[in-house]
C-alpha cells in the first residue's frame, strides 16, 4: 500500500518537528505526504520560509507530495499562474483538484503533463462527474482520489457514503485513499482529530486504518499534525487488500500457531455460521503435521477454530465463528479475535483475504497489568 502522513507548515509544529516527522515516516516505509496550503489559521510567512526545506527533504526520500490547489495556492507560492510544471519543479508531484476545473480541463491536464498525477475529491464524487471525465478523454492512469477529512465533530462521512464512493471510483480503475485521526498532537484550531469517517474520530489510528482497508480503501493517511511513533509504524506496515484481525492465542501448540501465521482466503461457497479458510487443510498437509485435540471448548463469536485429527479428512479446517456453536471434541479453539474487532468479520466476504496479528505474551501481560492498575486507581 502507498500510505501517507500529513504536513502543515506554518501551523502547529516547529520546522524541526515537521522535518523529524517526515524523516520518521520515510524510515517506516511511508512514501506519500499530503499537505494543505490554504488553511486560514496558517502563519503564511512561516509557511513560505519552511515549505522549501520540507519539499527538498521529501524529494531526497523519493516521496510523493500531494497538495490541494486553489487560486490562493498559486499566490502563496509566488507562481504567476496555474502551471503543473511549476509545482513539479518545487517538488509537488500530485495536485488535488478539488474545485474549479471542468472535465475538459482535467482531461487536457492528464495528457499535457504526463509526469504529474492529479487527484479527485473522493468524498464529493458522483457517477456523472466520472462519466464526464471519461467522455472528455481523461487518462485515468494519471488519476487517483482522496477523501476529505473533517475537523468538526459530527461532520465526518458515514460508512455507506464512503463505500459508495469507493465502488464508483473503482469501476473506473481509480485508487482511493482516506484519512485517519491521530491520538498524538491533533491539528488546530479545533483539536478534535481529522478523520474521514466520523466513527473513527476517537478510535485508534491503527484500527481505523485496518477498517478503511476492509472498506476498500487503497491507501491511508495520518491526518493530524504530530502522530505518535507507534501510529507511524502501524501505517507504514499496513497491508492492503486483506482484512487483518488482532487476536490472542488460546493454544501453545506450535503446529496450530504456525498454521495461524498464514494469510488465508475466505471460501467462495460462504457458510452461514463461519468464515472458512480456503487454504488451511492443504497448508497443514504441506507441513506434514498433525493437529491433536486441544482446548475443545464452546465456540463463541470470534473464535478461531482448527479441526483436529479426530475429524478425519477435515483436520486442519480453520474457521472464524460468526454464530455461537457448542463444544465439539473434534474442533480446537486455537485463538480468539479481540472482542473490539469482531465487527470486522462482516468485511471478510467470499474471496477476500484475511490474516491474524497476535500480540506477544509480554504485550498481553503488560496490557493486563495496566488494566488492573487503572481499575484499582
Amino acid at each position: 500500500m502507498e500510505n501517507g502522513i500529513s504536513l502543515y507548515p506554518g501551523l502547529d509544529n516547529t520546522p524541526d518537528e515537521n522535518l523529524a516527522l517526515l524523516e520518521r515516516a520515510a524510515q517506516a516505509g511511508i512514501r506519500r505526504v499530503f499537505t494543505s496550503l490554504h488553511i486560514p489559521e496558517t502563519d503564511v510567512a512561516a509557511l513560505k520560509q519552511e515549505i522549501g526545506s520540507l519539499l527538498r527533504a521529501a524529494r531526497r526520500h523519493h516521496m510523493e507530495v500531494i497538495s490541494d490547489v486553489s487560486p490562493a495556492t498559486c499566490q502563496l507560492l509566488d507562481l504567476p499562474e496555474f502551471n503543473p510544471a511549476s509545482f513539479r519543479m518545487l517538488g509537488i508531484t500530485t495536485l488535488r483538484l478539488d474545485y474549479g476545473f471542468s472535465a475538459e480541463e482535467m482531461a487536457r491536464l492528464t495528457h499535457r503533463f504526463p509526469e504529474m498525477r492529479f487527484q479527485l475529491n473522493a468524498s464529493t464524487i458522483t457517477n456523472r462527474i466520472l462519466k464526464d471525465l471519461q467522455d472528455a478523454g481523461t487518462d485515468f492512469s494519471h488519476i487517483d482520489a482522496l477523501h476529505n477529512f473533517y475537523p468538526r465533530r459530527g461532520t465526518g462521512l458515514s460508512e455507506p457514503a464512503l463505500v459508495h464512493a469507493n465502488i464508483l471510483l473503482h469501476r473506473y480503475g481509480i485508487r482511493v485513499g482516506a484519512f485517519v485521526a491521530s491520538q498524538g498532537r491533533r491539528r488546530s484550531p479545533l483539536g478534535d482529530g481529522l478523520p474521514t469517517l466520523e466513527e473513527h474520530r476517537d478510535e485508534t489510528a491503527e484500527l481505523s486504518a485496518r477498517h478503511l482497508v476492509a472498506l476498500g480503501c487503497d491507501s491511508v493517511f495520518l491526518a493530524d499534525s504530530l502522530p505518535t511513533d507507534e501510529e507511524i509504524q502501524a501505517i507504514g506496515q499496513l497491508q492492503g487488500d486483506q482484512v487483518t484481525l488482532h487476536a490472542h492465542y488460546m493454544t501453545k501448540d506450535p503446529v496450530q500457531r504456525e498454521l495461524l501465521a498464514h494469510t488465508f482466503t475466505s471460501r467462495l461457497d460462504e457458510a452461514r455460521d463461519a468464515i472458512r479458510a480456503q487454504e488451511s487443510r492443504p497448508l497443514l498437509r504441506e507441513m506434514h503435521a498433525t493437529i491433536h485435540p486441544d482446548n475443545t471448548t464452546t465456540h463463541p463469536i470470534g473464535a478461531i477454530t482448527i479441526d483436529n485429527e479426530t475429524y478425519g479428512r477435515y483436520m486442519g479446517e480453520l474457521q472464524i465463528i460468526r454464530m455461537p456453536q457448542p463444544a465439539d471434541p473434534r474442533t480446537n479453539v486455537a485463538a480468539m479475535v479481540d472482542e473490539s474487532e469482531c465487527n470486522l468479520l462482516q468485511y471478510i466476504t467470499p474471496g477476500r483475504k484475511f490474516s491474524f496479528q497476535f500480540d506477544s505474551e509480554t504485550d498481553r501481560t503488560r496490557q493486563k497489568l495496566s488494566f488492573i492498575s487503572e481499575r484499582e486507581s
Side-chain angles (χ1 to χ4, degrees):
M1 293 184 72
E2 297 179 337
N3 302 316
I5 58 166
S6 302
L7 290 173
Y8 307 101
L11 197 55
D12 300 318
N13 300 349
T14 66
D16 287 344
E17 285 176 327
N18 276 334
L19 281 172
L21 171 57
L22 190 147
E23 293 291 335
R24 296 203 315 274
Q27 291 170 10
I30 291 172
R31 289 292 175 264
R32 305 182 85 187
V33 177
F34 172 81
T35 187
S36 181
L37 300 179
H38 56 69
I39 301 169
E41 294 80 12
T42 298
D43 181 334
V44 175
L47 183 151
K48 287 185 175 182
Q49 187 174 7
E50 187 181 353
I51 189 67
S53 61
L54 286 175
L55 292 176
R56 287 191 294 273
R59 189 183 297 118
R60 282 199 308 273
H61 291 293
H62 308 288
M63 299 175 88
E64 175 190 5
V65 179
I66 303 161
S67 175
D68 46 10
V69 175
S70 71
T73 310
C74 296
Q75 183 178 358
L76 181 67
L77 297 177
D78 298 322
L79 299 177
E81 60 181 358
F82 174 76
N83 184 342
S86 298
F87 287 97
R88 179 76 183 187
M89 289 180 65
L90 289 172
I92 296 172
T93 51
T94 299
L95 300 179
R96 189 169 189 252
L97 307 178
D98 201 352
Y99 60 90
F101 294 87
S102 68
E104 290 73 20
E105 289 171 321
M106 284 281 291
R108 186 165 58 253
L109 289 171
T110 61
H111 291 285
R112 285 189 60 197
F113 301 97
E115 73 283 2
M116 294 288 293
R117 292 193 61 78
F118 301 94
Q119 197 169 76
L120 303 173
N121 184 339
S123 299
T124 59
I125 204 68
T126 65
N127 193 56
R128 180 74 267 166
I129 291 172
L130 291 167
K131 185 66 167 58
D132 288 345
L133 288 169
Q134 185 180 59
D135 292 344
T138 302
D139 183 350
F140 286 121
S141 68
H142 294 284
I143 294 284
D144 73 348
L146 182 61
H147 282 282
N148 288 337
F149 52 63
Y150 295 90
R152 187 190 184 284
R153 283 189 178 272
T155 62
L157 296 184
S158 67
E159 180 178 310
L162 180 137
V163 171
H164 176 70
N166 288 1
I167 291 172
L168 283 180
L169 289 156
H170 285 157
R171 284 177 186 165
Y172 288 81
I174 299 172
R175 298 175 67 81
V176 193
F179 292 95
V180 296
S182 167
Q183 303 304 317
R185 182 183 297 168
R186 293 187 153 191
R187 206 200 71 185
S188 63
L190 298 181
D192 276 334
L194 302 173
T196 292
L197 284 184
E198 185 60 35
E199 66 181 278
H200 289 167
R201 192 170 298 277
D202 296 311
E203 186 57 83
T204 66
E206 194 263 352
L207 178 55
S208 298
R210 288 187 289 113
H211 186 199
L212 288 176
V213 172
L215 294 176
C217 288
D218 305 293
S219 59
V220 176
F221 288 76
L222 282 163
D224 281 293
S225 292
L226 199 59
T228 67
D229 287 340
E230 291 78 10
E231 290 172 335
I232 293 170
Q233 290 296 324
I235 297 302
Q237 296 168 9
L238 190 65
Q239 297 295 312
D241 195 31
Q242 68 181 47
V243 178
T244 303
L245 301 164
H246 278 185
H248 55 274
Y249 293 116
M250 300 295 288
T251 181
K252 293 185 178 180
D253 176 25
V255 174
Q256 294 179 74
R257 288 193 174 198
E258 182 180 348
L259 188 61
L260 289 166
H262 288 84
T263 296
F264 302 99
T265 307
S266 176
R267 284 180 52 147
L268 294 177
D269 50 342
E270 184 178 22
R272 183 193 66 175
D273 297 336
I275 297 161
R276 301 180 67 192
Q278 182 174 298
E279 302 89 350
S280 59
R281 282 188 277 167
L283 280 169
L284 184 66
R285 287 195 293 271
E286 291 175 10
M287 292 165 61
H288 303 290
T290 300
I291 303 291
H292 301 291
D294 171 39
N295 195 37
T296 58
T297 60
T298 56
H299 310 163
I301 294 172
I304 304 166
T305 66
I306 301 176
D307 289 348
N308 62 51
E309 60 187 334
T310 64
Y311 227 132
R313 64 185 177 89
Y314 281 94
M315 183 177 69
E317 165 92 1
L318 184 146
Q319 299 184 1
I320 309 175
I321 303 304
R322 293 195 292 202
M323 296 284 288
Q325 299 173 21
D328 187 328
R330 300 170 297 178
T331 300
N332 301 347
V333 177
M336 286 290 301
V337 175
D338 287 357
E339 186 177 355
S340 63
E341 304 204 1
C342 284
N343 69 307
L344 295 179
L345 298 182
Q346 64 185 303
Y347 307 115
I348 306 178
T349 51
R352 191 85 187 266
K353 293 190 178 298
F354 64 93
S355 63
F356 307 109
Q357 184 174 324
F358 292 95
D359 296 329
S360 69
E361 302 297 339
T362 302
D363 287 342
R364 291 199 61 77
T365 300
R366 188 183 299 116
Q367 289 167 6
K368 288 179 182 177
L369 290 173
S370 176
F371 173 75
I372 293 170
S373 175
E374 289 175 4
R375 186 175 59 183
E376 291 177 346
S377 63

